[in-house]
Amino acid sequence: METQDVWNSFNDELYFFLLKKVKDTDVANDIFQSTFLKIHKNLPKLKEEEKVKAWIFQIARNEIANYFNAEAIYVDNSATNEETPLQEYQFVCCFDKLINDLPEIYQEVINMVYIKGHKQKDVANELGISLENTKARIRRAKDILKEKFQECCKYELDKKGKLTGESNCSIC
């Protein structure tokens, strides 16, 4: 198994897992990058390929723990209660904008499941819809987001339908 195979199979799921745990896109991106760096470096050491998903997510959990441990030591109080200028966020892709542009029924489930970290079953109960309907809305929202990423950020879809490539975003 190669790093590209791991990327193609798990990048979306891993990113949303991290985002759900840290609730900050910048931090999620940093942890995501360091996680894949460790995956790339240590992939030859993986003995049982069928356990790759568990292995990847354990690396991610360790990276989250490392981040929070480092944050506990290096707390910077100088920026407390200050607004951050918009220019500092120019390097972040337009992910939030794309989610906010989704139709309300899709935006709602994406925010509840991936941003707030609610379980799909709980979201279905809260919205008064079936679990199957919740999953369908999530699937449709992901399809819309993939399409928007292709248009805006010039990503491409691979043979498996996953986004690939480098960001070449006209908005951000």
Side-chain angles (χ1 to χ4, degrees), residues 97-108:
K97 179 192 178 309
L98 296 179
I99 288 179
N100 291 334
D101 289 345
L102 285 172
E104 183 65 33
I105 62 170
Y106 303 138
Q107 183 184 126
E108 189 173 35

Side-chain angles (χ1 to χ4, degrees), residues 61-117:
R61 284 188 290 278
N62 291 342
E63 287 299 304
I64 291 168
N66 291 345
Y67 168 77
F68 283 119
N69 289 339
E71 277 296 301
I73 296 170
Y74 302 107
V75 175
D76 180 16
N77 294 327
S78 63
T80 309
N81 295 330
E82 293 179 15
E83 289 191 30
T84 307
L86 181 61
Q87 295 88 347
E88 290 186 33
Y89 292 106
Q90 292 301 315
F91 64 93
V92 178
C93 196
C94 45
F95 185 72
D96 291 335
K97 179 192 178 309
L98 296 179
I99 288 179
N100 291 334
D101 289 345
L102 285 172
E104 183 65 33
I105 62 170
Y106 303 138
Q107 183 184 126
E108 189 173 35
V109 293
I110 290 292
N111 280 322
M112 292 175 81
V113 172
Y114 292 111
I115 307 301
K116 293 179 181 173

